[in-house]
Amino acid sequence: MTATGGATAAASGAGSNAAPGVTVRVPAKVNVQLAVGAARPDGFHDLANVFLAVSLYDEVTAAPAAELTVTCEGPDADKVPLDRTNLAARAAELLAARHGISPDVHLHIAKDIPVAGGMAGGSADGAGALLACDALWGLNSSRAELLEICAELGSDVPFSLVGGAALGVGRGEKLTELPVGGTFHWVFAVADGGLSTPVVFGEFDRLTEGVDVPEPAASPALLDALRTGDVAALAGALANDLQPAAVSLRPALNATLEAGTAAGALAALVSGSGPTTAFLVKDAEAADAVAAALIASGTCRTAHVAMSPAPGATVL
Ligand code: ATP
């Protein structure tokens, strides 16, 4: 895709005056299980979050600069903040502060992951910037140090660094890597506009008021399906406790979910806090067919095919 090509060219020094830089490729995620507990007194929710990294990527390039700046390219670039609230900028600042250096770096994000789509795009850029700056500045931070900064940046950021598949507990940030015994094929339908994760949790709280919400726990059947690479079993075990809240806020998602199922998807669910919807399919051929049907249905902005598991943040 053009966005990806642009970042790679900058990193490899193509062109006569391209700055030297480090490019990191980092995956989106889908939550194959997202079990949500009742709101805690501090407002957060305990989660049992089974993350699976998918082959839909952002690329973050870090290059020397006089001061910290951020640029972004891609279909959703206009929705990405370019100030210090950008998670990539915050990652550079946190890393620099730990080492007592100034975060003088230009960060360029080539963005293919939908913004505010429930696929952890901002988290991906945070993890990507962290790894890129660590390499650019020659800091050689240990994985444990990087993971500590990731957890400070946000609950989904550690998984963006690690990739593959993992169970996240606590707020989702305490990770245990999970074995995956095969390749799974997906289609992701991108909706118009985003959904704010805190707003979706607020709707979850509203919908579960007075309900006895069980303690979140990973499903043994789902972990087994991942371990054995059994796509039919995984289709039967997919679960997202945030789906009713996302659909309540965005009822049009029902039509997208139905269109993908009618086109032959084995299972359909909202990805994380939405509004991206995820469709598990049998193979690559089915993925192309379901993506084409979803686009033709007019119930989404676009559709991407992807495979999982995908590796975590990787220096190119
Ligand atoms: P998650 O799945 O982790 O809940 P998400 O995929 O729904 O997150 P993001 O794309 O991470 O959502 O963006 C959420 C908000 O974070 C955006 O609306 C934007 O204001 C802000 N943000 C900060 N940094 C970034 C970034 N690098 N890319 C995209 N959004 C960012």
Side-chain angles (χ1 to χ4, degrees), residues 48-104:
N49 202 342
V50 182
F51 296 104
L52 189 60
V54 301
S55 62
L56 179 60
Y57 301 102
D58 281 358
E59 289 185 6
V60 182
T61 299
E67 59 177 349
L68 176 54
T69 49
V70 181
T71 52
C72 184
E73 66 177 301
D76 281 350
D78 59 325
K79 302 190 192 90
V80 175
L82 300 179
D83 58 14
R84 303 267 169 131
T85 65
N86 191 298
L87 275 180
R90 290 192 46 220
E93 282 181 326
L94 280 180
L95 182 67
R98 275 202 174 211
H99 292 270
I101 58 176
S102 183
D104 298 330

mmCIF file of all heavy atoms in Angstrom, residues 48-104:
data_model
loop_
_atom_site.group_PDB
_atom_site.id
_atom_site.type_symbol
_atom_site.label_atom_id
_atom_site.label_comp_id
_atom_site.label_asym_id
_atom_site.label_seq_id
_atom_site.Cartn_x
_atom_site.Cartn_y
_atom_site.Cartn_z
ATOM 1 N N ALA A 48 -10.359 -10.183 31.009
ATOM 2 C CA ALA A 48 -9.608 -11.336 30.513
ATOM 3 C C ALA A 48 -9.648 -11.149 29.002
ATOM 4 O O ALA A 48 -10.697 -11.258 28.370
ATOM 5 C CB ALA A 48 -10.250 -12.645 30.929
ATOM 6 N N ASN A 49 -8.479 -10.813 28.472
ATOM 7 C CA ASN A 49 -8.409 -10.267 27.130
ATOM 8 C C ASN A 49 -7.497 -11.169 26.303
ATOM 9 O O ASN A 49 -6.298 -11.238 26.572
ATOM 10 C CB ASN A 49 -7.790 -8.866 27.273
ATOM 11 C CG ASN A 49 -8.121 -7.975 26.131
ATOM 12 O OD1 ASN A 49 -8.517 -8.459 25.076
ATOM 13 N ND2 ASN A 49 -7.938 -6.686 26.331
ATOM 14 N N VAL A 50 -8.061 -11.900 25.360
ATOM 15 C CA VAL A 50 -7.201 -12.745 24.528
ATOM 16 C C VAL A 50 -6.932 -11.988 23.229
ATOM 17 O O VAL A 50 -7.827 -11.803 22.400
ATOM 18 C CB VAL A 50 -7.816 -14.128 24.258
ATOM 19 C CG1 VAL A 50 -6.846 -14.978 23.436
ATOM 20 C CG2 VAL A 50 -8.157 -14.829 25.569
ATOM 21 N N PHE A 51 -5.684 -11.513 23.117
ATOM 22 C CA PHE A 51 -5.266 -10.718 21.968
ATOM 23 C C PHE A 51 -4.696 -11.620 20.885
ATOM 24 O O PHE A 51 -3.941 -12.552 21.171
ATOM 25 C CB PHE A 51 -4.107 -9.785 22.343
ATOM 26 C CG PHE A 51 -4.377 -8.735 23.353
ATOM 27 C CD1 PHE A 51 -3.911 -8.874 24.656
ATOM 28 C CD2 PHE A 51 -5.024 -7.559 23.015
ATOM 29 C CE1 PHE A 51 -4.097 -7.876 25.593
ATOM 30 C CE2 PHE A 51 -5.211 -6.549 23.951
ATOM 31 C CZ PHE A 51 -4.744 -6.705 25.237
ATOM 32 N N LEU A 52 -5.006 -11.284 19.646
ATOM 33 C CA LEU A 52 -4.378 -11.964 18.512
ATOM 34 C C LEU A 52 -3.909 -10.868 17.555
ATOM 35 O O LEU A 52 -4.706 -10.018 17.138
ATOM 36 C CB LEU A 52 -5.414 -12.866 17.848
ATOM 37 C CG LEU A 52 -4.958 -13.832 16.767
ATOM 38 C CD1 LEU A 52 -3.922 -14.825 17.291
ATOM 39 C CD2 LEU A 52 -6.173 -14.615 16.228
ATOM 40 N N ALA A 53 -2.613 -10.866 17.232
ATOM 41 C CA ALA A 53 -2.092 -9.854 16.305
ATOM 42 C C ALA A 53 -2.429 -10.269 14.874
ATOM 43 O O ALA A 53 -2.345 -11.449 14.528
ATOM 44 C CB ALA A 53 -0.583 -9.723 16.478
ATOM 45 N N VAL A 54 -2.814 -9.297 14.051
ATOM 46 C CA VAL A 54 -3.213 -9.583 12.671
ATOM 47 C C VAL A 54 -2.342 -8.786 11.696
ATOM 48 O O VAL A 54 -1.775 -7.746 12.058
ATOM 49 C CB VAL A 54 -4.713 -9.279 12.438
ATOM 50 C CG1 VAL A 54 -5.569 -10.118 13.379
ATOM 51 C CG2 VAL A 54 -5.030 -7.816 12.602
ATOM 52 N N SER A 55 -2.284 -9.268 10.458
ATOM 53 C CA SER A 55 -1.329 -8.708 9.489
ATOM 54 C C SER A 55 -1.857 -7.427 8.829
ATOM 55 O O SER A 55 -1.878 -7.302 7.610
ATOM 56 C CB SER A 55 -0.986 -9.755 8.428
ATOM 57 O OG SER A 55 -2.168 -10.103 7.706
ATOM 58 N N LEU A 56 -2.267 -6.510 9.661
ATOM 59 C CA LEU A 56 -2.652 -5.169 9.207
ATOM 60 C C LEU A 56 -1.747 -4.248 10.020
ATOM 61 O O LEU A 56 -1.765 -4.306 11.254
ATOM 62 C CB LEU A 56 -4.131 -4.958 9.534
ATOM 63 C CG LEU A 56 -4.776 -3.631 9.188
ATOM 64 C CD1 LEU A 56 -4.692 -3.371 7.691
ATOM 65 C CD2 LEU A 56 -6.252 -3.657 9.615
ATOM 66 N N TYR A 57 -0.908 -3.462 9.329
ATOM 67 C CA TYR A 57 0.214 -2.839 10.028
ATOM 68 C C TYR A 57 0.244 -1.317 9.895
ATOM 69 O O TYR A 57 -0.126 -0.760 8.861
ATOM 70 C CB TYR A 57 1.542 -3.344 9.451
ATOM 71 C CG TYR A 57 1.745 -4.835 9.543
ATOM 72 C CD1 TYR A 57 1.551 -5.652 8.425
ATOM 73 C CD2 TYR A 57 2.147 -5.427 10.738
ATOM 74 C CE1 TYR A 57 1.752 -7.024 8.500
ATOM 75 C CE2 TYR A 57 2.354 -6.798 10.817
ATOM 76 C CZ TYR A 57 2.161 -7.590 9.693
ATOM 77 O OH TYR A 57 2.365 -8.941 9.771
ATOM 78 N N ASP A 58 0.779 -0.668 10.935
ATOM 79 C CA ASP A 58 1.300 0.693 10.819
ATOM 80 C C ASP A 58 2.821 0.581 10.763
ATOM 81 O O ASP A 58 3.394 -0.410 11.253
ATOM 82 C CB ASP A 58 0.930 1.533 12.049
ATOM 83 C CG ASP A 58 -0.502 2.054 12.011
ATOM 84 O OD1 ASP A 58 -1.199 1.804 11.006
ATOM 85 O OD2 ASP A 58 -0.911 2.704 12.990
ATOM 86 N N GLU A 59 3.458 1.595 10.172
ATOM 87 C CA GLU A 59 4.918 1.672 10.236
ATOM 88 C C GLU A 59 5.302 3.013 10.843
ATOM 89 O O GLU A 59 4.777 4.052 10.441
ATOM 90 C CB GLU A 59 5.527 1.528 8.842
ATOM 91 C CG GLU A 59 5.376 0.102 8.322
ATOM 92 C CD GLU A 59 6.057 -0.133 6.986
ATOM 93 O OE1 GLU A 59 6.751 0.778 6.498
ATOM 94 O OE2 GLU A 59 5.869 -1.229 6.438
ATOM 95 N N VAL A 60 6.196 2.962 11.810
ATOM 96 C CA VAL A 60 6.655 4.180 12.478
ATOM 97 C C VAL A 60 8.144 4.346 12.170
ATOM 98 O O VAL A 60 8.932 3.447 12.437
ATOM 99 C CB VAL A 60 6.446 4.096 14.010
ATOM 100 C CG1 VAL A 60 6.890 5.398 14.673
ATOM 101 C CG2 VAL A 60 4.986 3.803 14.340
ATOM 102 N N THR A 61 8.489 5.505 11.599
ATOM 103 C CA THR A 61 9.891 5.798 11.312
ATOM 104 C C THR A 61 10.374 6.897 12.245
ATOM 105 O O THR A 61 9.729 7.945 12.358
ATOM 106 C CB THR A 61 10.063 6.256 9.853
ATOM 107 O OG1 THR A 61 9.634 5.189 8.996
ATOM 108 C CG2 THR A 61 11.527 6.577 9.539
ATOM 109 N N ALA A 62 11.489 6.648 12.920
ATOM 110 C CA ALA A 62 12.114 7.646 13.798
ATOM 111 C C ALA A 62 13.371 8.145 13.113
ATOM 112 O O ALA A 62 14.207 7.338 12.683
ATOM 113 C CB ALA A 62 12.453 7.019 15.146
ATOM 114 N N ALA A 63 13.505 9.459 12.990
ATOM 115 C CA ALA A 63 14.689 10.048 12.347
ATOM 116 C C ALA A 63 15.159 11.237 13.192
ATOM 117 O O ALA A 63 14.337 11.908 13.836
ATOM 118 C CB ALA A 63 14.357 10.502 10.933
ATOM 119 N N PRO A 64 16.465 11.513 13.183
ATOM 120 C CA PRO A 64 16.974 12.631 13.985
ATOM 121 C C PRO A 64 16.318 13.943 13.558
ATOM 122 O O PRO A 64 16.030 14.142 12.378
ATOM 123 C CB PRO A 64 18.473 12.654 13.647
ATOM 124 C CG PRO A 64 18.783 11.333 13.045
ATOM 125 C CD PRO A 64 17.526 10.838 12.418
ATOM 126 N N ALA A 65 16.072 14.819 14.533
ATOM 127 C CA ALA A 65 15.437 16.112 14.244
ATOM 128 C C ALA A 65 15.835 17.090 15.343
ATOM 129 O O ALA A 65 16.353 16.683 16.394
ATOM 130 C CB ALA A 65 13.920 15.964 14.210
ATOM 131 N N ALA A 66 15.570 18.379 15.120
ATOM 132 C CA ALA A 66 15.926 19.399 16.108
ATOM 133 C C ALA A 66 14.996 19.334 17.320
ATOM 134 O O ALA A 66 15.364 19.720 18.422
ATOM 135 C CB ALA A 66 15.856 20.782 15.462
ATOM 136 N N GLU A 67 13.768 18.869 17.092
ATOM 137 C CA GLU A 67 12.812 18.737 18.201
ATOM 138 C C GLU A 67 11.826 17.627 17.875
ATOM 139 O O GLU A 67 11.808 17.123 16.745
ATOM 140 C CB GLU A 67 12.081 20.059 18.435
ATOM 141 C CG GLU A 67 11.339 20.520 17.203
ATOM 142 C CD GLU A 67 10.549 21.804 17.425
ATOM 143 O OE1 GLU A 67 10.405 22.231 18.578
ATOM 144 O OE2 GLU A 67 10.070 22.361 16.423
ATOM 145 N N LEU A 68 10.980 17.291 18.855
ATOM 146 C CA LEU A 68 10.013 16.206 18.663
ATOM 147 C C LEU A 68 8.878 16.663 17.743
ATOM 148 O O LEU A 68 8.166 17.614 18.061
ATOM 149 C CB LEU A 68 9.454 15.786 20.031
ATOM 150 C CG LEU A 68 8.361 14.717 20.053
ATOM 151 C CD1 LEU A 68 8.786 13.458 19.313
ATOM 152 C CD2 LEU A 68 7.993 14.369 21.485
ATOM 153 N N THR A 69 8.755 15.996 16.600
ATOM 154 C CA THR A 69 7.662 16.303 15.664
ATOM 155 C C THR A 69 7.047 14.985 15.198
ATOM 156 O O THR A 69 7.711 13.942 15.195
ATOM 157 C CB THR A 69 8.163 17.077 14.424
ATOM 158 O OG1 THR A 69 9.310 16.399 13.893
ATOM 159 C CG2 THR A 69 8.530 18.516 14.758
ATOM 160 N N VAL A 70 5.768 15.066 14.801
ATOM 161 C CA VAL A 70 5.050 13.874 14.331
ATOM 162 C C VAL A 70 4.348 14.208 13.023
ATOM 163 O O VAL A 70 3.721 15.269 12.906
ATOM 164 C CB VAL A 70 3.989 13.411 15.359
ATOM 165 C CG1 VAL A 70 3.271 12.156 14.872
ATOM 166 C CG2 VAL A 70 4.607 13.154 16.729
ATOM 167 N N THR A 71 4.472 13.327 12.048
ATOM 168 C CA THR A 71 3.668 13.435 10.832
ATOM 169 C C THR A 71 2.988 12.083 10.601
ATOM 170 O O THR A 71 3.423 11.061 11.141
ATOM 171 C CB THR A 71 4.516 13.803 9.591
ATOM 172 O OG1 THR A 71 5.622 12.881 9.505
ATOM 173 C CG2 THR A 71 5.050 15.224 9.681
ATOM 174 N N CYS A 72 1.927 12.110 9.798
ATOM 175 C CA CYS A 72 1.172 10.877 9.574
ATOM 176 C C CYS A 72 0.638 10.862 8.152
ATOM 177 O O CYS A 72 0.226 11.911 7.630
ATOM 178 C CB CYS A 72 0.015 10.815 10.575
ATOM 179 S SG CYS A 72 -0.938 9.285 10.505
ATOM 180 N N GLU A 73 0.676 9.713 7.511
ATOM 181 C CA GLU A 73 0.052 9.557 6.201
ATOM 182 C C GLU A 73 -0.835 8.312 6.216
ATOM 183 O O GLU A 73 -0.615 7.400 7.023
ATOM 184 C CB GLU A 73 1.107 9.424 5.103
ATOM 185 C CG GLU A 73 1.924 8.148 5.215
ATOM 186 C CD GLU A 73 2.926 7.965 4.076
ATOM 187 O OE1 GLU A 73 2.481 7.916 2.921
ATOM 188 O OE2 GLU A 73 4.123 7.865 4.370
ATOM 189 N N GLY A 74 -1.827 8.292 5.334
ATOM 190 C CA GLY A 74 -2.740 7.147 5.277
ATOM 191 C C GLY A 74 -4.173 7.649 5.214
ATOM 192 O O GLY A 74 -4.429 8.833 5.406
ATOM 193 N N PRO A 75 -5.129 6.721 4.962
ATOM 194 C CA PRO A 75 -6.519 7.130 4.744
ATOM 195 C C PRO A 75 -7.150 7.867 5.928
ATOM 196 O O PRO A 75 -8.025 8.696 5.737
ATOM 197 C CB PRO A 75 -7.250 5.796 4.494
ATOM 198 C CG PRO A 75 -6.254 4.708 4.623
ATOM 199 C CD PRO A 75 -4.896 5.289 4.784
ATOM 200 N N ASP A 76 -6.706 7.572 7.170
ATOM 201 C CA ASP A 76 -7.289 8.211 8.359
ATOM 202 C C ASP A 76 -6.366 9.267 8.955
ATOM 203 O O ASP A 76 -6.546 9.680 10.101
ATOM 204 C CB ASP A 76 -7.540 7.157 9.456
ATOM 205 C CG ASP A 76 -8.795 6.341 9.217
ATOM 206 O OD1 ASP A 76 -9.577 6.703 8.315
ATOM 207 O OD2 ASP A 76 -8.989 5.344 9.934
ATOM 208 N N ALA A 77 -5.350 9.701 8.189
ATOM 209 C CA ALA A 77 -4.304 10.552 8.766
ATOM 210 C C ALA A 77 -4.873 11.821 9.403
ATOM 211 O O ALA A 77 -4.363 12.288 10.425
ATOM 212 C CB ALA A 77 -3.278 10.908 7.695
ATOM 213 N N ASP A 78 -5.943 12.355 8.820
ATOM 214 C CA ASP A 78 -6.485 13.617 9.364
ATOM 215 C C ASP A 78 -7.107 13.429 10.748
ATOM 216 O O ASP A 78 -7.384 14.405 11.440
ATOM 217 C CB ASP A 78 -7.524 14.201 8.386
ATOM 218 C CG ASP A 78 -8.676 13.242 8.145
ATOM 219 O OD1 ASP A 78 -8.437 12.007 8.113
ATOM 220 O OD2 ASP A 78 -9.820 13.707 8.004
ATOM 221 N N LYS A 79 -7.315 12.191 11.182
ATOM 222 C CA LYS A 79 -7.927 11.961 12.505
ATOM 223 C C LYS A 79 -6.868 11.696 13.578
ATOM 224 O O LYS A 79 -7.202 11.430 14.735
ATOM 225 C CB LYS A 79 -8.877 10.762 12.447
ATOM 226 C CG LYS A 79 -9.989 10.929 11.427
ATOM 227 C CD LYS A 79 -11.035 9.832 11.588
ATOM 228 C CE LYS A 79 -11.968 9.812 10.410
ATOM 229 N NZ LYS A 79 -11.486 8.911 9.337
ATOM 230 N N VAL A 80 -5.603 11.734 13.187
ATOM 231 C CA VAL A 80 -4.536 11.394 14.137
ATOM 232 C C VAL A 80 -3.941 12.687 14.709
ATOM 233 O O VAL A 80 -3.519 13.555 13.947
ATOM 234 C CB VAL A 80 -3.440 10.566 13.425
ATOM 235 C CG1 VAL A 80 -2.260 10.307 14.356
ATOM 236 C CG2 VAL A 80 -4.018 9.239 12.932
ATOM 237 N N PRO A 81 -3.917 12.823 16.052
ATOM 238 C CA PRO A 81 -3.321 14.030 16.628
ATOM 239 C C PRO A 81 -1.813 14.055 16.371
ATOM 240 O O PRO A 81 -1.155 13.021 16.477
ATOM 241 C CB PRO A 81 -3.618 13.894 18.129
ATOM 242 C CG PRO A 81 -3.822 12.434 18.356
ATOM 243 C CD PRO A 81 -4.369 11.861 17.081
ATOM 244 N N LEU A 82 -1.284 15.235 16.035
ATOM 245 C CA LEU A 82 0.147 15.332 15.731
ATOM 246 C C LEU A 82 0.906 16.047 16.851
ATOM 247 O O LEU A 82 2.085 16.352 16.711
ATOM 248 C CB LEU A 82 0.355 16.062 14.394
ATOM 249 C CG LEU A 82 -0.302 15.367 13.183
ATOM 250 C CD1 LEU A 82 -0.070 16.159 11.902
ATOM 251 C CD2 LEU A 82 0.221 13.932 13.016
ATOM 252 N N ASP A 83 0.207 16.272 17.972
ATOM 253 C CA ASP A 83 0.877 16.942 19.095
ATOM 254 C C ASP A 83 1.384 15.898 20.088
ATOM 255 O O ASP A 83 1.448 14.712 19.789
ATOM 256 C CB ASP A 83 -0.087 17.945 19.760
ATOM 257 C CG ASP A 83 -1.365 17.256 20.243
ATOM 258 O OD1 ASP A 83 -1.383 16.003 20.302
ATOM 259 O OD2 ASP A 83 -2.333 17.970 20.572
ATOM 260 N N ARG A 84 1.712 16.378 21.284
ATOM 261 C CA ARG A 84 2.305 15.475 22.285
ATOM 262 C C ARG A 84 1.309 14.472 22.853
ATOM 263 O O ARG A 84 1.681 13.641 23.674
ATOM 264 C CB ARG A 84 2.923 16.301 23.427
ATOM 265 C CG ARG A 84 3.976 17.301 22.948
ATOM 266 C CD ARG A 84 5.342 16.672 23.023
ATOM 267 N NE ARG A 84 6.327 17.493 22.328
ATOM 268 C CZ ARG A 84 7.498 17.855 22.845
ATOM 269 N NH1 ARG A 84 7.829 17.493 24.051
ATOM 270 N NH2 ARG A 84 8.339 18.566 22.122
ATOM 271 N N THR A 85 0.026 14.562 22.464
ATOM 272 C CA THR A 85 -0.929 13.535 22.911
ATOM 273 C C THR A 85 -0.835 12.281 22.052
ATOM 274 O O THR A 85 -1.380 11.245 22.407
ATOM 275 C CB THR A 85 -2.394 14.044 22.868
ATOM 276 O OG1 THR A 85 -2.754 14.298 21.509
ATOM 277 C CG2 THR A 85 -2.571 15.309 23.705
ATOM 278 N N ASN A 86 -0.162 12.368 20.911
ATOM 279 C CA ASN A 86 0.011 11.167 20.081
ATOM 280 C C ASN A 86 0.814 10.134 20.873
ATOM 281 O O ASN A 86 1.859 10.473 21.456
ATOM 282 C CB ASN A 86 0.727 11.530 18.777
ATOM 283 C CG ASN A 86 0.689 10.386 17.799
ATOM 284 O OD1 ASN A 86 1.220 9.308 18.079
ATOM 285 N ND2 ASN A 86 0.053 10.594 16.660
ATOM 286 N N LEU A 87 0.332 8.905 20.894
ATOM 287 C CA LEU A 87 1.007 7.881 21.706
ATOM 288 C C LEU A 87 2.442 7.636 21.255
ATOM 289 O O LEU A 87 3.293 7.264 22.064
ATOM 290 C CB LEU A 87 0.215 6.575 21.673
ATOM 291 C CG LEU A 87 -0.926 6.454 22.682
ATOM 292 C CD1 LEU A 87 -1.622 5.105 22.534
ATOM 293 C CD2 LEU A 87 -0.402 6.602 24.113
ATOM 294 N N ALA A 88 2.731 7.848 19.979
ATOM 295 C CA ALA A 88 4.107 7.695 19.491
ATOM 296 C C ALA A 88 4.997 8.763 20.125
ATOM 297 O O ALA A 88 6.123 8.487 20.578
ATOM 298 C CB ALA A 88 4.140 7.799 17.966
ATOM 299 N N ALA A 89 4.500 10.004 20.188
ATOM 300 C CA ALA A 89 5.266 11.095 20.803
ATOM 301 C C ALA A 89 5.464 10.829 22.289
ATOM 302 O O ALA A 89 6.559 11.021 22.839
ATOM 303 C CB ALA A 89 4.532 12.423 20.598
ATOM 304 N N ARG A 90 4.403 10.344 22.951
ATOM 305 C CA ARG A 90 4.512 10.057 24.389
ATOM 306 C C ARG A 90 5.529 8.953 24.650
ATOM 307 O O ARG A 90 6.276 8.995 25.633
ATOM 308 C CB ARG A 90 3.144 9.686 24.961
ATOM 309 C CG ARG A 90 2.210 10.905 24.991
ATOM 310 C CD ARG A 90 0.977 10.639 25.815
ATOM 311 N NE ARG A 90 1.311 10.018 27.079
ATOM 312 C CZ ARG A 90 0.605 9.039 27.643
ATOM 313 N NH1 ARG A 90 -0.468 8.580 27.049
ATOM 314 N NH2 ARG A 90 0.977 8.527 28.794
ATOM 315 N N ALA A 91 5.581 7.975 23.757
ATOM 316 C CA ALA A 91 6.553 6.886 23.911
ATOM 317 C C ALA A 91 7.972 7.439 23.826
ATOM 318 O O ALA A 91 8.841 7.100 24.639
ATOM 319 C CB ALA A 91 6.318 5.828 22.830
ATOM 320 N N ALA A 92 8.214 8.317 22.845
ATOM 321 C CA ALA A 92 9.554 8.907 22.683
ATOM 322 C C ALA A 92 9.919 9.715 23.923
ATOM 323 O O ALA A 92 11.052 9.628 24.425
ATOM 324 C CB ALA A 92 9.576 9.793 21.431
ATOM 325 N N GLU A 93 8.958 10.477 24.451
ATOM 326 C CA GLU A 93 9.229 11.296 25.636
ATOM 327 C C GLU A 93 9.554 10.441 26.851
ATOM 328 O O GLU A 93 10.503 10.720 27.588
ATOM 329 C CB GLU A 93 8.007 12.170 25.956
ATOM 330 C CG GLU A 93 7.914 13.387 25.049
ATOM 331 C CD GLU A 93 6.707 14.261 25.384
ATOM 332 O OE1 GLU A 93 5.664 13.697 25.777
ATOM 333 O OE2 GLU A 93 6.819 15.489 25.235
ATOM 334 N N LEU A 94 8.770 9.379 27.057
ATOM 335 C CA LEU A 94 9.006 8.521 28.230
ATOM 336 C C LEU A 94 10.368 7.846 28.152
ATOM 337 O O LEU A 94 11.099 7.771 29.137
ATOM 338 C CB LEU A 94 7.915 7.447 28.328
ATOM 339 C CG LEU A 94 6.579 7.862 28.923
ATOM 340 C CD1 LEU A 94 5.609 6.674 28.946
ATOM 341 C CD2 LEU A 94 6.772 8.398 30.345
ATOM 342 N N LEU A 95 10.714 7.358 26.961
ATOM 343 C CA LEU A 95 12.004 6.676 26.798
ATOM 344 C C LEU A 95 13.154 7.658 27.021
ATOM 345 O O LEU A 95 14.119 7.353 27.739
ATOM 346 C CB LEU A 95 12.089 6.051 25.391
ATOM 347 C CG LEU A 95 13.355 5.273 25.104
ATOM 348 C CD1 LEU A 95 13.431 4.002 25.963
ATOM 349 C CD2 LEU A 95 13.440 4.888 23.612
ATOM 350 N N ALA A 96 13.036 8.847 26.425
ATOM 351 C CA ALA A 96 14.096 9.848 26.570
ATOM 352 C C ALA A 96 14.245 10.262 28.028
ATOM 353 O O ALA A 96 15.375 10.382 28.541
ATOM 354 C CB ALA A 96 13.787 11.057 25.689
ATOM 355 N N ALA A 97 13.114 10.460 28.719
ATOM 356 C CA ALA A 97 13.164 10.901 30.119
ATOM 357 C C ALA A 97 13.896 9.878 30.979
ATOM 358 O O ALA A 97 14.694 10.228 31.842
ATOM 359 C CB ALA A 97 11.748 11.127 30.645
ATOM 360 N N ARG A 98 13.660 8.602 30.721
ATOM 361 C CA ARG A 98 14.336 7.537 31.489
ATOM 362 C C ARG A 98 15.844 7.600 31.342
ATOM 363 O O ARG A 98 16.585 7.168 32.207
ATOM 364 C CB ARG A 98 13.912 6.169 30.958
ATOM 365 C CG ARG A 98 12.664 5.700 31.553
ATOM 366 C CD ARG A 98 12.589 4.196 31.421
ATOM 367 N NE ARG A 98 11.412 3.767 32.145
ATOM 368 C CZ ARG A 98 11.284 2.609 32.758
ATOM 369 N NH1 ARG A 98 12.252 1.734 32.729
ATOM 370 N NH2 ARG A 98 10.187 2.303 33.398
ATOM 371 N N HIS A 99 16.285 8.076 30.175
ATOM 372 C CA HIS A 99 17.721 8.070 29.895
ATOM 373 C C HIS A 99 18.326 9.467 30.021
ATOM 374 O O HIS A 99 19.482 9.677 29.645
ATOM 375 C CB HIS A 99 17.976 7.470 28.506
ATOM 376 C CG HIS A 99 17.661 6.005 28.463
ATOM 377 N ND1 HIS A 99 18.586 5.033 28.750
ATOM 378 C CD2 HIS A 99 16.494 5.358 28.236
ATOM 379 C CE1 HIS A 99 18.007 3.844 28.681
ATOM 380 N NE2 HIS A 99 16.735 4.017 28.373
ATOM 381 N N GLY A 100 17.519 10.421 30.477
ATOM 382 C CA GLY A 100 18.023 11.775 30.686
ATOM 383 C C GLY A 100 18.466 12.446 29.397
ATOM 384 O O GLY A 100 19.419 13.229 29.399
ATOM 385 N N ILE A 101 17.809 12.106 28.287
ATOM 386 C CA ILE A 101 18.155 12.752 27.020
ATOM 387 C C ILE A 101 16.935 13.506 26.496
ATOM 388 O O ILE A 101 15.825 13.338 27.002
ATOM 389 C CB ILE A 101 18.661 11.733 25.959
ATOM 390 C CG1 ILE A 101 17.595 10.652 25.702
ATOM 391 C CG2 ILE A 101 19.977 11.106 26.392
ATOM 392 C CD1 ILE A 101 17.973 9.662 24.604
ATOM 393 N N SER A 102 17.163 14.330 25.495
ATOM 394 C CA SER A 102 16.074 15.125 24.938
ATOM 395 C C SER A 102 15.430 14.347 23.781
ATOM 396 O O SER A 102 16.149 13.791 22.943
ATOM 397 C CB SER A 102 16.685 16.444 24.459
ATOM 398 O OG SER A 102 15.693 17.268 23.972
ATOM 399 N N PRO A 103 14.097 14.307 23.721
ATOM 400 C CA PRO A 103 13.445 13.495 22.669
ATOM 401 C C PRO A 103 13.428 14.208 21.312
ATOM 402 O O PRO A 103 12.363 14.447 20.744
ATOM 403 C CB PRO A 103 12.031 13.301 23.224
ATOM 404 C CG PRO A 103 11.778 14.531 24.029
ATOM 405 C CD PRO A 103 13.106 14.948 24.597
ATOM 406 N N ASP A 104 14.605 14.527 20.817
ATOM 407 C CA ASP A 104 14.683 15.251 19.544
ATOM 408 C C ASP A 104 14.601 14.253 18.396
ATOM 409 O O ASP A 104 15.617 13.698 17.957
ATOM 410 C CB ASP A 104 15.988 16.054 19.480
ATOM 411 C CG ASP A 104 16.039 17.098 20.581
ATOM 412 O OD1 ASP A 104 14.954 17.581 20.986
ATOM 413 O OD2 ASP A 104 17.153 17.412 21.044
#
